[in-house]
Amino acid sequence: MFKAFKAEVENQLEKHIKILRSDRGGEYLSGEFQQYLIDNGIVSQFSAPGTPQQNGVAERRNRTLLDMVRSMLSYSTLPISFWGYALQTAIYILNDVPSKSVPKTPHELWTGRKPSLQHLRIFGCPAHVLKGKTEKMESRSETCIFVGYPKETKGYYFYSPSDLKVFVSTNAKFLEKDYMNDFVPRSRIVLNEMSGDTIPREVAQPNPIISSDPTQDQQPTIPRRSGRVRTQPERYIGLGESMENLPDDDDPYTYKEAMEDVDSRHWQKAMQSEIESMFDNKVWSLVDLPKGIKPIGCKWVYKRKRGMDGKVETFKARLVAKGYTQKEGIDYEETFSPVAMLKSIRILLSIAASLDLEIWQMDVKTAFLNGSLDESIYMMQPEGFIEKGQVDKVCKLQKSIYGLKQASRSWNIRLDQAVKGFGFIQNPDEPCVYKRIKGDKLVFLILYVDDILLIGNDVGVLTSVKEWLAKQFDMKDLGEASFILGIQVIRDRKNRTIALSQASYIDKILSRFSMQDSKKGMLPFRHGIKLSKEQVPKNEHEEQFMSRVPYASAVGSLMYAMLCTRPDICFAVGIVSRFQSKPGPDHWTAVKHIFKYLKRTRDNMLVYSEGDLVPVGYTDSDF
């Protein structure tokens, strides 16, 4: 492919390739390829292991293309096996549209002519395509699916569900309006299911045959998939978010990115709402900066909040102080703040299942803004909301704010004082669990940072507690609990069962560590395999491979599933977590084996049912 591209460049543009920069993929390291570069005077450059930013233009374009492919497939009825056609279509579109980095489109730079966009169609839309020869009474057209643009022909690629073939045609009527009116976005999960055993008959061919002539069939070649493991950017580390709330790859990172984002209007509205909360809670006042004081910075953190179906429900913009610049003894003293343990939440849910108690959920909209500050802290004005005529002034914080070292502690102290004043008693062994008993009426209040669970046996009493909380804090009533810390709560009141599922979280971590297309494993740990600290990387190749493996991050993701709803992987996770300081390929294979097991058992749930509240446990005798 490189030889063909080089010949085309030199012939069409009369220019020469001078440097090739790559990511150490195996095809670029072969002796034959290196000799070819030397023979043609092309300098070979390699990005350092684990640093894709050194080849930033290409890597960013790869990410853009992948995002486009995901979007195109999720809004079509095509199975995931059509990703190659979606990728070719995405490249075709990007070559015909302008960008900020160059004054002309790639098509115009290559050919010298401005491209026409009149022929562009919606990927995946149906079309009536004129057939060739037909019988007298047979329909002259067939409903097919548009899947791209052929490079060598002026026409379109169509997929025929009846023949399970892709062919080229120019005689078609596109049904784009009907398609836009009728389509239903489909999640990645549904697409994966479609490419499995349950897909409908018309898309049952995983690798459709490409044919411009019905008499000449040929199998498509499968493009090389990068061996580099994608990891979360370092900027996401340390935000204090729980595992299921990690930002999406496409969320803006800076204020500038948010303003240039396709959803900039939504981000502006979200930021305005956040600023109004600051003013309502009287979080700061603008003052002149005292001499000798250096104010801390602040930044916006953006997140698209998605529902269980993967669709964006709300756009959230949070103003966060850069608390890492605070100095102990000057800007803060104590920082510790407790949260409810997951096992405590599970115990209370099991009690609720057994006694048929109500389970309600509330969210404190701006929890950390309720805490009072004992220290004098000065902060820069937030980007995009600097007061006119007061550019030189700074914000003197009167209330706590997200990002401060003491923010969580200040909020916890504030809520603790309030709920105790309302008659709740704190559990001595679990400081984030409170109870309130009056006669035969019982209420539990469980706090996990800014999420509140109310569990009780009387609707009237629960309602009064909820109304009181709404008066004390700016609350969001979420009704009956359905999603807690990334855990789906599925309740059957008739049979008195509560099931806890992390199916969506498992899908997320499988995708995050590129395991979504892996085989399904039968057991979390392979029989007869013994791991030891001696199984470290043995040579430079293994060292480079393991340097790109996000081992600790993967083990942490598995631990969260284990702690929440999956005790069945406890032993396996305990084994692989021992080798985080110096993992080797064998250790990584064991981690992937746990992911494969979770893929097969993603729909397994932790179920609590009616019965005596007596814990019963089972264990394999040889562990």
Side-chain angles (χ1 to χ4, degrees):
M1 290 306 298
F2 182 80
K3 288 179 178 179
F5 177 72
K6 177 179 176 296
E8 185 177 359
V9 169
E10 293 176 354
N11 188 48
Q12 300 294 329
L13 302 182
E14 296 182 354
K15 293 186 178 181
H16 297 276
I17 298 173
K18 296 187 171 88
I19 297 173
L20 175 69
R21 182 177 298 172
S22 63
D23 64 352
R24 297 179 181 269
E27 66 271 43
Y28 301 116
L29 296 173
S30 70
E32 183 184 359
F33 189 86
Q34 289 295 313
Q35 188 60 47
Y36 178 79
L37 296 181
I38 293 170
D39 293 342
N40 287 275
I42 300 173
V43 177
S44 180
Q45 294 183 350
F46 300 103
S47 57
T51 55
Q53 60 269 29
Q54 289 186 354
N55 204 9
V57 175
E59 295 290 352
R60 181 73 187 189
R61 179 45 54 101
N62 283 342
R63 172 178 157 177
T64 301
L65 288 168
L66 187 59
D67 287 344
M68 290 178 72
V69 169
R70 283 199 193 101
S71 178
M72 290 159 70
L73 287 175
S74 67
Y75 281 88
S76 73
T77 57
L78 295 164
I80 207 165
S81 58
F82 277 80
W83 69 270
Y85 289 100
L87 178 61
Q88 288 179 334
T89 305
I91 293 168
Y92 187 88
I93 293 170
L94 288 178
N95 282 336
D96 281 3
V97 296
S99 65
K100 292 181 294 183
S101 57
V102 289
K104 298 179 180 179
T105 66
H107 181 278
E108 191 174 355
L109 290 170
W110 184 272
T111 65
R113 302 187 306 273
K114 286 187 177 182
S116 170
L117 304 180
Q118 294 180 351
H119 64 292
L120 295 184
R121 303 296 179 184
I122 299 174
F123 180 85
C125 76
H128 291 316
V129 184
L130 193 66
K131 292 182 179 179
K133 294 181 180 180
T134 59
E135 299 295 331
K136 283 187 177 181
M137 302 305 294
E138 190 181 356
S139 173
R140 292 187 177 181
S141 66
E142 178 188 3
T143 302
C144 299
I145 301 173
F146 165 64
V147 293
Y149 311 88
K151 184 178 180 181
E152 69 286 346
T153 307
K154 189 174 182 180
Y156 301 97
Y157 274 139
F158 294 100
Y159 171 64
S160 170
S162 59
D163 296 332
L164 301 179
K165 291 182 180 179
V166 173
F167 61 95
V168 176
S169 178
T170 56
N171 299 315
K173 180 180 179 181
F174 291 88
L175 308 177
E176 291 178 297
K177 289 185 179 179
D178 296 339
Y179 177 68
M180 291 301 293
N181 291 334
D182 297 339
F183 76 11
V184 178
R186 293 143 54 83
S187 68
R188 182 70 175 268
I189 302 165
V190 176
L191 287 167
N192 284 338
E193 290 173 352
M194 281 190 66
S195 60
D197 297 332
T198 59
I199 58 178
R201 174 70 182 87
E202 64 268 22
V203 290
Q205 181 85 352
N207 289 310
I209 300 168
I210 302 177
S211 175
S212 56
D213 184 340
T215 63
Q216 296 177 354
D217 297 338
Q218 62 182 45
Q219 282 297 114
T221 56
I222 300 173
R224 168 238 182 195
R225 297 185 66 178
S226 172
R228 180 169 63 82
V229 179
R230 292 184 61 196
T231 58
Q232 287 281 3
E234 291 183 1
R235 63 177 183 255
Y236 293 152
I237 298 173
L239 288 180
E241 296 273 2
S242 55
M243 191 68 69
E244 81 286 353
N245 280 333
L246 284 171
D248 294 329
D249 282 347
D250 57 350
D251 289 335
Y253 175 54
T254 64
Y255 175 82
K256 182 180 178 182
E257 284 184 15
M259 292 300 95
E260 294 173 351
D261 192 82
V262 66
D263 293 314
S264 59
R265 182 170 55 87
H266 295 290
W267 295 127
Q268 282 181 320
K269 188 176 179 181
M271 287 188 290
Q272 187 62 46
S273 176
E274 177 78 349
I275 290 294
E276 288 173 1
S277 295
M278 299 286 175
F279 287 126
D280 292 342
N281 286 278
K282 298 178 180 177
V283 174
W284 68 63
S285 57
L286 289 179
V287 299
D288 293 320
L289 182 65
K291 289 184 178 180
I293 299 294
K294 185 178 180 181
I296 63 173
C298 62
K299 66 166 291 183
W300 290 101
V301 176
Y302 305 95
K303 175 161 180 63
R304 291 175 171 89
K305 290 278 189 177
R306 301 179 185 272
M308 288 178 284
D309 57 359
K311 294 181 183 178
V312 178
E313 291 184 342
T314 57
F315 292 81
K316 195 166 186 177
R318 179 77 75 203
L319 183 64
V320 178
K322 295 182 179 179
Y324 55 82
T325 61
Q326 290 180 263
K327 295 181 179 179
E328 187 174 3
I330 299 175
D331 299 318
Y332 71 93
E333 297 290 344
E334 296 284 339
T335 61
F336 173 74
S337 174
V339 295
M341 289 183 282
L342 288 165
K343 61 184 180 183
S344 302
I345 296 174
R346 287 203 307 268
I347 288 171
L348 288 165
L349 290 176
S350 69
I351 293 172
S354 179
L355 304 180
D356 195 29
L357 304 181
E358 301 293 330
I359 309 172
W360 293 357
Q361 189 175 9
M362 301 186 78
D363 175 71
V364 189
K365 289 184 180 179
T366 48
F368 287 10
L369 306 187
N370 291 285
S372 299
L373 284 177
D374 297 325
E375 302 85 3
S376 295
I377 299 178
Y378 298 88
M379 184 184 77
M380 303 289 288
Q381 292 189 56
E383 189 175 6
F385 293 87
I386 298 174
E387 291 285 339
K388 291 181 179 180
Q390 304 191 66
V391 178
D392 297 328
K393 291 187 180 291
V394 295
C395 304
K396 185 178 189 299
L397 298 180
Q398 294 154 344
K399 295 282 186 72
S400 180
I401 185 175
Y402 289 87
L404 291 182
K405 298 277 189 181
Q406 65 269 56
S408 182
R409 179 177 178 83
S410 300
W411 153 242
N412 187 266
I413 292 172
R414 170 78 175 84
L415 182 111
D416 179 75
Q417 293 170 345
V419 296
K420 285 179 178 176
F422 193 63
F424 279 90
I425 300 172
Q426 187 179 37
N427 187 305
D429 297 314
E430 174 57 288
C432 287
V433 174
Y434 303 82
K435 70 177 179 180
R436 184 168 176 259
I437 303 174
K438 281 194 175 181
D440 60 349
K441 295 175 181 177
L442 166 70
V443 179
F444 288 109
L445 186 150
I446 305 104
L447 175 68
Y448 195 98
V449 189
D450 55 0
D451 286 317
I452 293 177
L453 277 182
L454 295 175
I455 300 176
N457 61 355
D458 187 271
V459 173
V461 173
L462 283 171
T463 302
S464 65
V465 173
K466 185 171 67 175
E467 291 173 348
W468 173 80
L469 282 169
K471 290 179 181 177
Q472 301 298 311
F473 311 103
D474 189 7
M475 306 288 294
K476 185 177 180 181
D477 186 0
L478 302 176
E480 289 193 20
S482 61
F483 219 71
I484 306 169
L485 305 176
I487 306 168
Q488 186 181 3
V489 181
I490 303 167
R491 188 165 197 183
D492 185 345
R493 297 297 289 264
K494 182 180 178 181
N495 296 311
R496 285 201 185 184
T497 63
I498 293 177
L500 306 182
S501 169
Q502 278 185 292
S504 60
Y505 173 73
I506 290 171
D507 288 332
K508 184 185 291 187
I509 61 175
L510 284 171
S511 177
R512 182 182 173 197
F513 297 105
S514 304
M515 294 292 293
Q516 70 273 19
D517 297 323
S518 68
K519 294 180 180 179
K520 298 177 180 179
M522 294 301 296
L523 294 170
F525 204 79
R526 292 177 295 170
H527 179 69
I529 299 297
K530 293 188 180 295
L531 299 179
S532 69
K533 61 182 180 181
E534 281 74 35
Q535 294 168 312
V536 296
K538 299 292 193 301
N539 50 52
E540 185 180 356
H541 175 72
E542 290 187 356
E543 287 274 6
Q544 289 181 358
F545 172 75
M546 290 308 299
S547 69
R548 301 193 300 268
V549 169
Y551 189 89
S553 182
V555 172
S557 298
L558 291 172
M559 278 185 174
Y560 187 73
M562 174 195 77
L563 290 170
C564 292
T565 65
R566 300 304 299 263
D568 50 332
I569 64 171
C570 184
F571 172 73
V573 173
I575 291 291
V576 297
S577 64
R578 300 174 187 174
F579 309 102
Q580 295 190 62
S581 60
K582 190 72 173 177
D586 292 333
H587 303 136
W588 179 236
T589 299
V591 170
K592 292 194 292 184
H593 206 78
I594 305 174
F595 279 118
K596 291 177 182 179
Y597 170 74
L598 286 179
K599 183 178 181 182
R600 184 180 69 82
T601 60
R602 68 178 288 277
D603 295 320
N604 284 14
M605 307 179 201
L606 205 57
V607 182
Y608 298 105
S609 57
E610 182 184 12
D612 295 332
L613 292 171
V614 179
V616 179
Y618 300 88
T619 180
D620 189 346
S621 60
D622 65 356
F623 302 98

